[in-house]
Amino acid sequence: MEAVESAAPQGGGKKKLLLLVIILVVVLGGAAAALTFLAPGLVPGLGKKAEKKADAAHAEPAAGKTDAAGPGALYPMKTIIVNLMDPGGKRYLKATLSLEMDREPLKAEVDAKLPQIQDSILILLSSQTYDDISTMEGKTQLRNQIVSRCNTILKTGKIRTVYFSEFVVQ
């Protein structure tokens, strides 16, 4: 009978040890995941893939960038409302944007050529369909087209990128 009693506690001890190891693995895995997603800057090497993707996504719209020294001066534009080129003409786009200039003196030229810039943007926006601008890729392409059109009008500097502060399609 003594042999049976000594075997029972050993089996229970193995189960407890296994359970403790499983709990420890889950807790450590959760802590590592939390550090990776919530505080990638605290531990070197963690979250680098997410940072690289964010940097690449931010750099993609800046196709017209000419000077990487830092952010350029922003030129806020008035809200633009246009009908989209959808069948029936029932959809419209309301967009507010700012132009990032490569240098501050460009503001004077943008002021002088604002009617041409607004017209070019207005024509571009009204030529879009809902399908063209409903995806992130479509918005990025639209942003790059606006930069390109503005830069064909301007002579003393360049527009680096366009920032949308409002983009509503209805």
Side-chain angles (χ1 to χ4, degrees), residues 98-141:
S98 295
L99 307 174
E100 182 182 1
M101 303 176 290
D102 66 351
R103 58 184 70 116
E104 183 68 33
L106 183 58
K107 184 181 184 312
E109 185 181 4
V110 172
D111 282 336
K113 295 184 177 179
L114 190 59
Q116 292 93 330
I117 292 171
Q118 287 175 326
D119 178 68
S120 181
I121 293 172
L122 187 76
I123 297 298
L124 175 63
L125 293 178
S126 64
S127 71
Q128 303 297 306
T129 65
Y130 175 76
D131 291 336
D132 293 337
I133 59 174
S134 62
T135 65
M136 185 59 74
E137 293 82 19
K139 289 176 183 74
T140 301
Q141 184 178 7

Side-chain angles (χ1 to χ4, degrees), residues 7-103:
Q10 270 186 336
K14 287 183 181 179
K15 288 182 182 178
K16 287 181 183 178
L17 182 61
L18 181 61
L19 182 62
L20 184 61
V21 168
I22 291 172
I23 291 173
L24 185 61
V25 167
V26 169
V27 168
L28 289 176
L35 278 174
T36 300
F37 294 109
L38 299 177
L42 293 178
V43 180
L46 288 180
K48 291 294 182 189
K49 287 183 180 178
E51 288 176 18
K52 286 181 182 178
K53 283 183 181 177
D55 289 345
H58 183 68
E60 185 179 355
K65 246 185 186 177
T66 57
D67 180 19
L74 294 178
Y75 190 98
M77 304 218 22
K78 292 182 180 179
T79 299
I80 299 172
I81 301 173
V82 296
N83 289 325
L84 294 175
M85 275 191 49
D86 281 323
K90 293 186 179 187
R91 289 193 185 264
Y92 70 89
L93 168 66
K94 179 180 179 184
T96 306
L97 53 103
S98 295
L99 307 174
E100 182 182 1
M101 303 176 290
D102 66 351
R103 58 184 70 116

